[in-house]
């Protein structure tokens, strides 16, 4: 595997050199006033990216999985009931985590390749007249299938059912790459990590809790210490931290937010959309299909591409790494061997994406798929050529 | 605060440039074979540093606090009884964590400045004929007081009482700086972090479980997912990870172990001892006293220095940072305002230490303490001059 | 201009991260023994890359231009006669330098796009029965036209004429990318820089002098001090340097040689050839022509591509930078506006090259040239797919 | 030699991490508009540091030695007469260079340890009624002896003699560390390098020519191409460069100027003076003497310290490196073995300096000199404590 080529996995993403440097800090005394000068702008920057003014942001030396655990252990109690849909590997894992923490999960099964069924949520919530359901889980972007769900619709379902359950959203592979409106959508807990849209190394769980979620913290009885947001809240007020913070990553997060906001969130989202459109045009040119079943659920951060019946899609990933030094993503869970994934989020340009598409073509041709070399590239080039206004404003 | 000067806090430590670079990796696909080439040597290296062949090592994107939580949530069940001594801020915090996880802690209070009372442990364990106590907690090095405890003695206490409790040891500020013999001492869970003796940035919890502790994992009923070692064990067997690993830090850990083992653990410990001896000689020359009450508990990684009655020791830290750009550690908890701390672990040379001592002298003189300039430096110089054989083998 | 995309200029090249780090050294006392541990392996490594055992290598904080000046000022005297061909911008500049130093240059004009006329050299040398010509200049690879010349043929011309003139070769854009046989070809002075095949930042002139050239140094009367190889030779013998060396670049050069030799020079040259073949296949697919007139002079490090009559080729470079953030090279001198150049030397993979070709296609289409999108990419993909054995051994 | 400790050589200096990063740039196309955004601010910044508005600045991939050569080859012709004083190794070397370039040098010998004899200059210039002397050389700071000369006095000598000779000043170890007033002092050529006061790696010669010197360029007949300022001037006007520029170092220079100007030149000079005063206080406390004979010539960037008769001062440097991993400077030329040098310029804090003094004490004691440990440190501490207002504003 060559470090010269970009990666095309759905995170960790390619990192801008400026952010790597921001993370690679000399040792800083986190009990000195300098720490607050990193912490506070990082928290403020994340709030802007999440489009919330009322939520509190928490940063843990952890990952998105730790972020999920933070949301549930801080807001829920043993035996609480949860509503969640399973439409891919990551929604599956979150459900599993809830069960391991002693929560009762009402699971709505949805086809892998479809979005969250907000209508089913509404039915179940409306039927839950005793309000036994304490939280609704929603995966904004299913990284395993390349499927984006409609969080606003989930909120409407809750509202229609007049249900007080908390809305927890996994935005790990959407936040900072696709539009996320924490306040407008009434999200109570938003979870992400450092290594996706924020273009940083892994190692930071990023969690935001709405005032309603914060209010639930005191009565929540699931045990936690490392992930206890109360300790964080108390410490943040003094520009401090309950234990040793991952200062470098926090400094990187501060700069990442600065970089994203300088580019403009709308431009960031448009860039991701444009690059994704190029990938989707290539997939069509290849005569293949996305795992995502309908255009309304196409993800702008990752595409899972179905390969023909009988072909082992995992071979594409292995061969691309071994022969061309390029990393793509394998299919997971139910779609293992049936799809391969192209990550197109984070620090990426049209030009870099074209090298990924060109590689995918060579790999598929090498493995005997009926792919015309250059066909997908040409389709993507058409997309990238036509959107010049934005192309020139690529992230540094 | 200037980044030009070394820090003299008890972690995070000064970092060798080679380790910063090892951590600052380009994006690597952690599902590719390259990951195993980082993971396995890192695990093997930690085992050598811990002097264990039978324990399993686990690396979490977390900190020492997460390491404590890993130990207790993976080996214990709600309501289990724990034995622990409180002789400083960090032993206090671990006790607090146990209580927040619903464990019953029998707390042995010990004076701050003394080591763990192994004799009291033995009495209590001997009296626990029903073996209700499931685990014994021991803080190897109390970072708050600069006190090292005798873990071998705790093991002897357990053995003398023929008690089957697990022995959990917090080695956060000792491991890789002072001798730690996991196997010989019969330690069941050893916990540390990346940012102390391993000279890396914070962000990695390092935990080792003995076969006996591993056997306890299946029956342990405290909920955990992020910190579940079962998922780690399963994944490690496939050179994989249950979620996104902090690859850079793991690569740093691999190189840190290589560096420590190349220097030779005995040389590493001797270097820490020599530098610490210089600091202690300086303290004596200043006419001050250590918080640590007797030489047998002097820590080789951090010294807590008592200032005269009525003097606010915290002012030393504030003034050193503001006027000289140098970071020392404040007193915590019971000794807040009464001590200041000089960290002398990790990547440090005699020469760097002398600049810390010279700074402390200026600061104390500035604040009106009766300190003769150059006196502590001279005392330390005598120590450092006389130990030439080792001095020339400083860590890179 | 985005730093995310590779550059496709004929130097400075893309740099492997390992080499950037080797150059970015902390301050080292160049009067300490450490300096020799960098200097000597760097000199030895360059000799291996040049395929010479008898030449002496000199490293100046300078560039290829300084290397030219080193060769002429150390071996020649005012009024000396020189034979040189002009077949591009860089051979022109070297001639100009000779003239500015008071040398008389017999210039053989050759069409831009052709190689050095060894037969003309032979005629002139044979006619120079008084051996007034003291040195013959030969540009191994004309960076301006993408033309490689046959240095062995120039040597044969000298031999055929039984002429004792020194043979000076500009290998700036060939050495370490294309085969260079200093000893076999009887080269007396070989000149290059750090920023091409050695994949380093600019700032180092690399010069090798044969024993015959060294013998000429004492009698040479052109004034020089900074570029005086006698001071270098004397200093090198003591692991020293006549003034402050560019230690970081020299450390980078040492590592670059290690990296090239570890890959294997034949593999390095084959990789450059394969990538170049892909570019040339793309050019043919686009229906365009190279500036280099015949396959025997095709350069494996840079291609100059003629655009249709009446089209301003420089616009391609400007547009690529402005819209797509990609750097190509403009035409220089006689071919300014008539060609654009694609550099394909140094740290480059097939995958990176494909992104350059894809970009060139978009740019040419944007500017109205009749280029079918994906056509050049497809042609290059065929080349890159078929050479799998080597593809997987890309430079790190 | 450990990279953990600071260096105390008179250049290359310790480098701020921010400047190392500025130099360690990804590859940039120097023919793109980005280059001008680095070049022009670098040139403008140097002019501010030199306190000139009318001079032109030139940046060569070279060193101070190349800067000397630039000054003489661009302004003088073979056979021209030069006036120069020799009071140390570096003034000696510049004289030697002039002679090797065919210039006639009238050498004024001055004791090593004294400054330039402006009165002797005036006598000689007054006697040169035919104005045969074309240039006067003056070394502002003799790095070999730690002696600063009075350039304003040299200008007064020229003026008093009404002599039109050009005034060339070697400011290699003074510029950006000590006050330098190009315009006020009527300096015609100022020469320095990147690795001293600018705190950068070596590799850049920095030259400024007054309008009068620029006017001399056209008629100067010494041959030069690499160092020809005419090519530079022409290129700079187009944001271009006559060959491949050392872009990273130029970017570093831009940031270095920003950093120096942000600190404030007066603060930079005061910081150097304060640190030097501490060193001098230590030397007195040790009972030793400076090579510099009188306080008016004490250099604020380097101190050469005489050791007792019969003691080999070079042993101090060797022993410090071998046993303590610290670099000091040896004596050169006439004072070889008689002095050792402590460099105290560039990126340095009081705290770092104290570790250098403490090391020097241990070394001298180790080698049998009658030095009281801590004595020099204490003397320096007194200096550093008393100057708190500036201490807290140290360069990052």
């Amino acid at each position: 595997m060559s470090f010269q080529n970009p990666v095309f996995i759905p995170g960790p993403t390619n990192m801008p050199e400026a952010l790597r440097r921001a993370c690679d800090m000399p040792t800083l005394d986190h009990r000195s006033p300098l720490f607050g000068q990193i912490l506070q702008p990082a928290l403020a920057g994340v709030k802007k990216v999440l489009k919330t003014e009322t939520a509190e942001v928490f940063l843990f030396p952890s990952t998105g999985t730790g972020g999920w655990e933070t949301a549930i252990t801080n807001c829920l109690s043993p035996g609480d009931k949860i509503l969640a849909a399973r439409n891919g590997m990551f929604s599956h894992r979150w459900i599993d985590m809830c069960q391991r923490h002693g929560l009762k999960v009402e699971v709505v099964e949805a086809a892998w390749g479809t979005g969250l069924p907000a209508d089913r949520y509404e039915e179940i919530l409306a039927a839950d007249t005793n309000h036994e359901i304490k939280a609704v889980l929603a995966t904004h972007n299913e990284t395993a299938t390349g499927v984006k769900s409609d969080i606003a619709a989930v909120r409407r379902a809750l509202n229609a059912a007049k249900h007080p359950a908390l809305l927890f959203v996994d935005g790990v592979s959407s936040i900072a790459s696709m539009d996320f409106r924490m306040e407008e959508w009434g999200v109570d807990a938003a979870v992400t990590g450092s290594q996706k849209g924020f273009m940083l190394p892994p190692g930071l769980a990023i969690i935001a809790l709405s005032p309603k979620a914060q209010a639930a913290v005191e009565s929540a009885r699931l045990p936690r210490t490392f992930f206890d947001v109360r300790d964080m809240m108390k410490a943040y007020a003094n520009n401090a931290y309950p234990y040793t913070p991952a200062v470098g990553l926090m400094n990187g997060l501060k700069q990442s937010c600065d970089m994203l906001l300088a580019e403009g969130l709308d431009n960031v989202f448009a860039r991701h959309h444009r690059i994704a459109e190029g990938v989707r045009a290539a997939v069509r040119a290849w005569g293949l299909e996305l795992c995502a079943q309908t255009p309304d659920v196409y993800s702008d951060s990752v595409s899972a591409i179905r390969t023909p019946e009988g072909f082992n899609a995992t071979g594409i990933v292995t061969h691309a790494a071994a022969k061309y030094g390029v990393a793509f993503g394998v299919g997971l869970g139910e779609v293992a061997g049936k799809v391969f994934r192209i990550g197109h989020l984070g620090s990426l340009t049209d030009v870099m994406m074209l090298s990924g598409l060109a590689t995918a073509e060579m790999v598929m041709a090498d493995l005997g798929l009926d792919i015309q070399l250059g066909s997908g590239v040409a389709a993507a080039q058409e997309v990238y050529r036509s959107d010049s206004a934005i192309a020139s404003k690529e992230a540094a």
Side-chain angles (χ1 to χ4, degrees), chain A:
Chain A
M1 182 77 49
S2 160
F3 282 116
Q4 299 170 280
N5 297 326
V7 295
F8 300 100
I9 49 176
T13 67
N14 300 291
M15 297 180 280
E17 183 155 319
L19 293 190
R20 285 183 57 189
R21 291 180 170 203
C23 294
D24 173 30
M25 285 189 79
T27 303
L28 176 147
D29 178 11
H30 58 278
R31 297 181 202 270
S32 79
L34 276 187
F35 179 62
Q37 296 170 27
I38 293 171
L39 171 70
Q40 300 301 348
L43 298 175
V46 171
K47 288 176 70 169
K48 282 184 190 149
V49 171
L50 294 177
K51 298 187 176 172
T52 176
E53 291 187 353
T54 59
E56 288 290 332
V57 173
F58 304 97
L59 307 175
F60 291 89
S62 185
T63 70
T65 301
W68 291 344
E69 189 157 322
T70 300
I72 65 175
T73 59
N74 279 280
C75 301
L76 300 169
S77 299
D80 274 358
K81 195 168 171 189
I82 302 298
L83 173 62
R86 173 156 46 207
N87 67 335
M89 197 59 183
F90 292 90
S91 42
H92 165 72
R93 286 199 186 144
W94 203 5
I95 290 167
D96 175 62
M97 170 183 276
C98 290
Q99 291 167 336
R100 284 157 75 167
H101 280 264
L103 302 170
K104 292 182 212 141
V105 190
E106 167 136 17
V107 178
V108 179
E109 301 289 349
W112 290 36
T114 66
L116 295 186
D119 47 354
R120 278 294 294 139
Y121 273 32
E122 185 175 339
E123 289 167 23
I124 294 166
L125 290 164
D128 179 38
T129 48
N130 289 343
H131 295 167
E132 287 180 16
I133 294 171
K134 299 301 176 199
V136 172
L137 266 47
T139 298
H140 188 203
N141 191 67
E142 239 306 342
T143 320
T145 57
V147 160
K148 173 184 64 179
S149 285
D150 185 348
I151 303 301
V154 176
R155 165 49 58 199
R156 285 194 300 271
L158 277 153
N159 290 354
K162 297 201 166 58
H163 199 289
L166 295 165
L167 174 56
F168 291 0
V169 178
D170 170 352
V172 171
S173 59
S174 65
I175 288 170
S177 299
M178 302 194 293
D179 198 10
F180 190 93
R181 308 181 175 204
M182 185 161 185
E183 203 125 320
E184 184 181 323
W185 297 343
V187 174
D188 293 304
V191 174
T192 189
S194 48
Q195 81 280 11
K196 305 270 179 170
F198 288 109
M199 308 174 287
L200 297 168
L204 219 49
I206 301 165
I207 301 98
L209 296 186
S210 73
K212 187 171 158 191
Q214 292 169 47
V217 168
E218 277 312 319
S219 54
R221 284 178 296 102
L222 272 174
R224 75 274 185 185
T225 309
F226 184 79
F227 289 120
D228 200 322
V229 299
R230 290 168 299 185
D231 296 330
M232 284 282 163
M233 235 179 298
K234 220 177 302 169
Y236 290 179
N238 299 310
N239 289 323
Y241 208 75
Y243 34 77
T244 308
V247 182
L249 283 171
M250 292 167 79
N251 191 47
L253 182 60
K254 161 178 174 273
Q255 292 221 25
S256 172
C257 291
D258 286 349
M259 190 181 277
L260 291 165
L261 295 166
E263 184 179 355
L265 289 180
D266 285 348
N267 293 328
V268 171
F269 303 149
R271 172 168 54 83
H272 279 83
H273 182 68
R274 184 185 70 246
I275 293 179
E277 281 287 290
V279 172
R280 292 189 282 258
V283 171
R284 278 190 301 273
W286 296 333
L288 297 177
E289 286 188 359
L290 291 171
C291 181
Q293 294 182 2
T294 48
D296 57 304
V297 300
Y298 287 169
S299 165
D300 282 344
S301 58
V302 55
S303 295
I305 300 158
R306 292 193 175 274
T307 50
E309 205 52 49
F311 180 87
N312 178 11
T314 301
I316 290 174
V317 177
T318 314
H319 185 76
K323 180 167 173 190
Y324 298 106
V326 169
F328 295 114
V330 296
L332 299 173
E334 212 173 86
V335 292
K338 297 181 181 166
V339 308
F340 74 101
R341 293 178 297 155
I342 297 181
H344 36 74
L345 77 170
S347 178
L348 203 65
T349 64
D350 302 16
V351 169
M352 292 157 79
M353 194 64 248
L354 288 170
S355 70
L357 296 174
T359 304
E361 290 178 353
M362 292 193 291
V363 169
M364 291 188 287
D366 286 351
L367 298 179
L369 288 183
D370 180 25
I371 295 291
Q372 193 192 334
L373 293 175
S375 61
V377 168
Q381 283 171 315
E382 282 297 2
V383 173
Y384 299 153
R385 279 183 60 202
S386 66
D387 195 0
S388 62
I390 295 166
S392 61
K393 292 185 191 155
E394 284 152 6

Short mmCIF file of all heavy atoms in Angstrom, two decimals, chain A residues 74-92:
data_model
loop_
_atom_site.label_atom_id
_atom_site.label_comp_id
_atom_site.label_asym_id
_atom_site.label_seq_id
_atom_site.Cartn_x
_atom_site.Cartn_y
_atom_site.Cartn_z
N ASN A 74 -25.51 8.56 29.21
CA ASN A 74 -25.77 9.81 29.92
C ASN A 74 -27.24 10.20 29.95
O ASN A 74 -27.62 11.09 30.71
CB ASN A 74 -24.97 10.95 29.29
CG ASN A 74 -23.54 10.98 29.77
OD1 ASN A 74 -23.27 11.48 30.86
ND2 ASN A 74 -22.63 10.40 29.00
N CYS A 75 -28.04 9.57 29.09
CA CYS A 75 -29.44 10.00 28.99
C CYS A 75 -30.44 8.92 29.36
O CYS A 75 -31.64 9.19 29.43
CB CYS A 75 -29.75 10.50 27.58
SG CYS A 75 -28.72 11.87 27.05
N LEU A 76 -29.96 7.68 29.56
CA LEU A 76 -30.91 6.59 29.74
C LEU A 76 -30.60 5.76 30.98
O LEU A 76 -29.51 5.87 31.56
CB LEU A 76 -30.89 5.69 28.50
CG LEU A 76 -31.27 6.42 27.19
CD1 LEU A 76 -30.96 5.53 25.98
CD2 LEU A 76 -32.76 6.80 27.21
N SER A 77 -31.54 4.91 31.32
CA SER A 77 -31.40 4.07 32.51
C SER A 77 -31.64 2.62 32.12
O SER A 77 -32.33 2.33 31.12
CB SER A 77 -32.40 4.50 33.58
OG SER A 77 -32.15 5.84 33.96
N PRO A 78 -31.09 1.72 32.92
CA PRO A 78 -31.26 0.29 32.61
C PRO A 78 -32.75 -0.04 32.39
O PRO A 78 -33.61 0.43 33.15
CB PRO A 78 -30.73 -0.41 33.87
CG PRO A 78 -29.74 0.56 34.46
CD PRO A 78 -30.29 1.92 34.14
N GLY A 79 -33.03 -0.79 31.34
CA GLY A 79 -34.41 -1.20 31.07
C GLY A 79 -35.21 -0.23 30.23
O GLY A 79 -36.31 -0.55 29.78
N ASP A 80 -34.64 0.93 29.96
CA ASP A 80 -35.38 1.90 29.13
C ASP A 80 -35.64 1.31 27.75
O ASP A 80 -34.87 0.50 27.23
CB ASP A 80 -34.55 3.19 28.96
CG ASP A 80 -34.78 4.16 30.13
OD1 ASP A 80 -35.59 3.86 31.02
OD2 ASP A 80 -34.10 5.21 30.14
N LYS A 81 -36.75 1.77 27.14
CA LYS A 81 -37.10 1.28 25.81
C LYS A 81 -36.64 2.26 24.74
O LYS A 81 -36.71 3.47 24.92
CB LYS A 81 -38.63 1.10 25.73
CG LYS A 81 -39.07 0.29 24.54
CD LYS A 81 -40.53 -0.12 24.65
CE LYS A 81 -41.01 -0.74 23.35
NZ LYS A 81 -42.48 -0.95 23.38
N ILE A 82 -36.16 1.70 23.65
CA ILE A 82 -35.56 2.47 22.55
C ILE A 82 -36.21 2.04 21.25
O ILE A 82 -36.52 0.87 21.07
CB ILE A 82 -34.05 2.12 22.45
CG1 ILE A 82 -33.31 2.42 23.74
CG2 ILE A 82 -33.39 2.83 21.28
CD1 ILE A 82 -33.34 3.85 24.12
N LEU A 83 -36.38 2.99 20.35
CA LEU A 83 -36.86 2.66 19.01
C LEU A 83 -35.74 2.90 18.00
O LEU A 83 -35.12 3.97 18.01
CB LEU A 83 -38.06 3.55 18.65
CG LEU A 83 -38.58 3.45 17.21
CD1 LEU A 83 -39.08 2.05 16.89
CD2 LEU A 83 -39.67 4.50 16.98
N ALA A 84 -35.49 1.89 17.19
CA ALA A 84 -34.40 2.05 16.22
C ALA A 84 -34.67 1.22 14.98
O ALA A 84 -35.25 0.15 15.04
CB ALA A 84 -33.07 1.60 16.84
N ALA A 85 -34.23 1.75 13.85
CA ALA A 85 -34.34 1.00 12.59
C ALA A 85 -32.97 0.41 12.25
O ALA A 85 -31.94 1.01 12.55
CB ALA A 85 -34.80 1.92 11.47
N ARG A 86 -33.00 -0.75 11.64
CA ARG A 86 -31.76 -1.38 11.19
C ARG A 86 -31.79 -1.45 9.67
O ARG A 86 -32.54 -2.22 9.07
CB ARG A 86 -31.65 -2.78 11.79
CG ARG A 86 -30.46 -3.58 11.23
CD ARG A 86 -30.01 -4.65 12.19
NE ARG A 86 -31.12 -5.41 12.73
CZ ARG A 86 -31.12 -6.02 13.93
NH1 ARG A 86 -30.05 -5.97 14.70
NH2 ARG A 86 -32.17 -6.68 14.34
N ASN A 87 -30.95 -0.63 9.02
CA ASN A 87 -30.88 -0.64 7.56
C ASN A 87 -29.43 -0.70 7.08
O ASN A 87 -29.11 -0.26 5.98
CB ASN A 87 -31.61 0.57 6.96
CG ASN A 87 -30.90 1.88 7.30
OD1 ASN A 87 -30.19 1.97 8.30
ND2 ASN A 87 -31.11 2.89 6.47
N GLY A 88 -28.56 -1.22 7.96
CA GLY A 88 -27.16 -1.32 7.57
C GLY A 88 -26.34 -1.68 8.78
O GLY A 88 -26.85 -1.83 9.89
N MET A 89 -25.05 -1.83 8.56
CA MET A 89 -24.17 -2.35 9.59
C MET A 89 -24.03 -1.42 10.77
O MET A 89 -23.87 -1.86 11.91
CB MET A 89 -22.78 -2.58 8.98
CG MET A 89 -21.90 -3.46 9.80
SD MET A 89 -22.67 -5.10 10.03
CE MET A 89 -21.45 -5.86 11.11
N PHE A 90 -24.05 -0.13 10.52
CA PHE A 90 -23.78 0.79 11.62
C PHE A 90 -25.01 1.02 12.49
O PHE A 90 -24.91 1.14 13.71
CB PHE A 90 -23.14 2.08 11.11
CG PHE A 90 -21.76 1.79 10.57
CD1 PHE A 90 -21.55 1.45 9.24
CD2 PHE A 90 -20.67 1.78 11.43
CE1 PHE A 90 -20.28 1.12 8.77
CE2 PHE A 90 -19.40 1.44 10.97
CZ PHE A 90 -19.20 1.11 9.63
N SER A 91 -26.18 1.03 11.87
CA SER A 91 -27.39 1.09 12.69
C SER A 91 -27.51 -0.21 13.48
O SER A 91 -27.91 -0.20 14.65
CB SER A 91 -28.63 1.33 11.81
OG SER A 91 -28.59 0.57 10.63
N HIS A 92 -27.11 -1.31 12.88
CA HIS A 92 -27.11 -2.59 13.59
C HIS A 92 -26.23 -2.55 14.83
O HIS A 92 -26.61 -3.00 15.91
CB HIS A 92 -26.63 -3.71 12.66
CG HIS A 92 -26.27 -4.97 13.40
ND1 HIS A 92 -27.22 -5.80 13.96
CD2 HIS A 92 -25.07 -5.51 13.71
CE1 HIS A 92 -26.61 -6.81 14.57
NE2 HIS A 92 -25.30 -6.66 14.44
#
